[in-house]
Amino acid sequence: MRLLLILIVFAPCVFAIDMKDVDRDTLRHVRLALLVDDVRKHFGLRIGDFESLDQAIELRLTEDKQLLLLRMETKAAAVLVHTDKNDRAGARLFIDVEPHVEAESLFDGQFVALRCRAAEAKLPEKTRLLRLHEGKLQLCLEWTSHEEYVLENSRYVETTTRMLEKAEGLQLVERREHLLDGKQLEGGLGIRTTPLEDRPEGLIFRTARESPVSVSTHCAIARGLERERLNEAALHHARLAEARAITEKLAGDDTRKLEAMALAAKLEARLRPVSK
């Protein structure tokens, strides 16, 4: 009864949160979370001081458990809300995030992915993976989930995405695409799959399996870009060919390695500023 009275007294303050973005149940759970001392302390708030919160997101984990994410600037609190009989706040986790956050429940509520950016349309994007583990909320994995490398007035884009997938076990799958005018260059896709091991402290990266863009393909792409007079992008692929040759430990007289080195040297010379 006492808790109900407190909620009623401070209910008007809730409307400082944008009603267009937050539903009624989520607002009720925001009030519950902010009655918890350490949640308020994390944000430096008083009871009923809702106006400073920038974001509230709630996701269902199971039939009787939901995860509430509260954000104020770059401070965030993840709060487990039990909804079995009477709604109540449970385990908490306090983390720092970027100012723009989207959240998604994965694999039937086993995880919650927080996709964080400095701004809505700005890369890179970082993903923080949360889970409920032995009754506690845990930040179990972090990675850069989306990034781009742009050249030639945005005509050339190298885009890298890393997504969590579940096959025989959990794995992080990286796709690196090389695009010209929005279309993938021939052979311009590399895939790297990293299995994840589940440990008490979180998910651990294991040895990755690769299907990379080959040295010869990088060289072919570099020559094609050179013919288009896109020398910066061509040099980028020549250097990627050199790096791949080193990774594969090609012999010094291997024709693929020699071609990569020759292409890189030629393009570097062409792009080198002329001394006055």
Side-chain angles (χ1 to χ4, degrees), residues 15-27:
F15 290 93
I17 299 175
D18 192 343
M19 292 291 290
K20 294 181 296 184
D21 299 326
V22 183
D23 62 39
R24 186 174 300 176
D25 287 339
T26 299
L27 285 172

Side-chain angles (χ1 to χ4, degrees), residues 31-95:
R31 286 179 280 170
L32 276 173
L34 288 178
L35 289 173
V36 179
D37 289 343
D38 57 356
V39 175
R40 293 197 312 277
K41 184 178 179 181
H42 179 66
F43 294 115
L45 300 176
R46 297 170 297 175
I47 293 179
D49 185 12
F50 298 96
E51 63 272 12
S52 296
L53 286 175
D54 295 311
Q55 198 172 12
I57 306 171
E58 191 164 49
L59 297 169
R60 181 173 296 279
L61 302 182
T62 64
E63 188 64 31
D64 59 357
K65 291 183 180 68
Q66 299 193 165
L67 185 76
L68 174 69
L69 180 77
L70 303 178
R71 182 182 65 81
M72 186 176 74
E73 297 179 347
T74 59
K75 290 183 178 181
V79 182
L80 185 68
V81 178
H82 298 268
T83 59
D84 45 359
K85 294 180 180 179
N86 298 315
D87 292 355
R88 66 189 191 281
R92 280 89 69 188
L93 176 69
F94 304 112
I95 57 175

Side-chain angles (χ1 to χ4, degrees), residues 53-210:
L53 286 175
D54 295 311
Q55 198 172 12
I57 306 171
E58 191 164 49
L59 297 169
R60 181 173 296 279
L61 302 182
T62 64
E63 188 64 31
D64 59 357
K65 291 183 180 68
Q66 299 193 165
L67 185 76
L68 174 69
L69 180 77
L70 303 178
R71 182 182 65 81
M72 186 176 74
E73 297 179 347
T74 59
K75 290 183 178 181
V79 182
L80 185 68
V81 178
H82 298 268
T83 59
D84 45 359
K85 294 180 180 179
N86 298 315
D87 292 355
R88 66 189 191 281
R92 280 89 69 188
L93 176 69
F94 304 112
I95 57 175
D96 292 328
V97 296
E98 285 69 28
H100 184 80
V101 179
E102 296 178 353
E104 178 186 8
S105 177
L106 300 178
F107 312 131
D108 297 322
Q110 185 178 357
F111 300 97
V112 168
L114 305 182
R115 309 199 192 284
C116 310
R117 300 186 183 206
E120 185 173 0
K122 186 175 181 180
L123 295 177
E125 175 188 88
K126 187 172 186 177
T127 293
R128 293 173 174 88
L129 195 69
L130 311 184
R131 69 173 175 181
L132 184 63
H133 183 70
E134 296 183 350
K136 297 180 180 180
L137 287 173
Q138 181 187 69
L139 174 60
C140 58
L141 192 67
E142 298 181 67
W143 71 91
T144 300
S145 46
H146 192 187
E147 56 188 329
E148 290 182 349
Y149 182 62
V150 180
L151 293 169
E152 309 292 0
N153 295 317
S154 299
R155 288 193 63 195
Y156 173 89
V157 181
E158 178 186 287
T159 178
T160 304
T161 57
R162 300 177 183 91
M163 300 294 293
L164 193 68
E165 295 184 4
K166 199 169 187 179
E168 296 178 357
L170 284 175
Q171 55 189 24
L172 195 67
V173 179
E174 174 186 294
R175 291 173 55 90
R176 182 164 296 179
E177 276 189 284
H178 304 278
L179 309 172
L180 181 62
D181 297 329
K183 296 181 180 179
Q184 186 187 116
L185 291 161
E186 186 174 354
L189 172 64
I191 297 176
R192 179 184 177 93
T193 302
T194 306
L196 299 169
E197 180 181 341
D198 192 343
R199 294 186 181 178
E201 65 271 22
L203 301 176
I204 307 299
F205 293 111
R206 300 298 301 272
T207 303
R209 305 184 299 273
E210 285 192 275

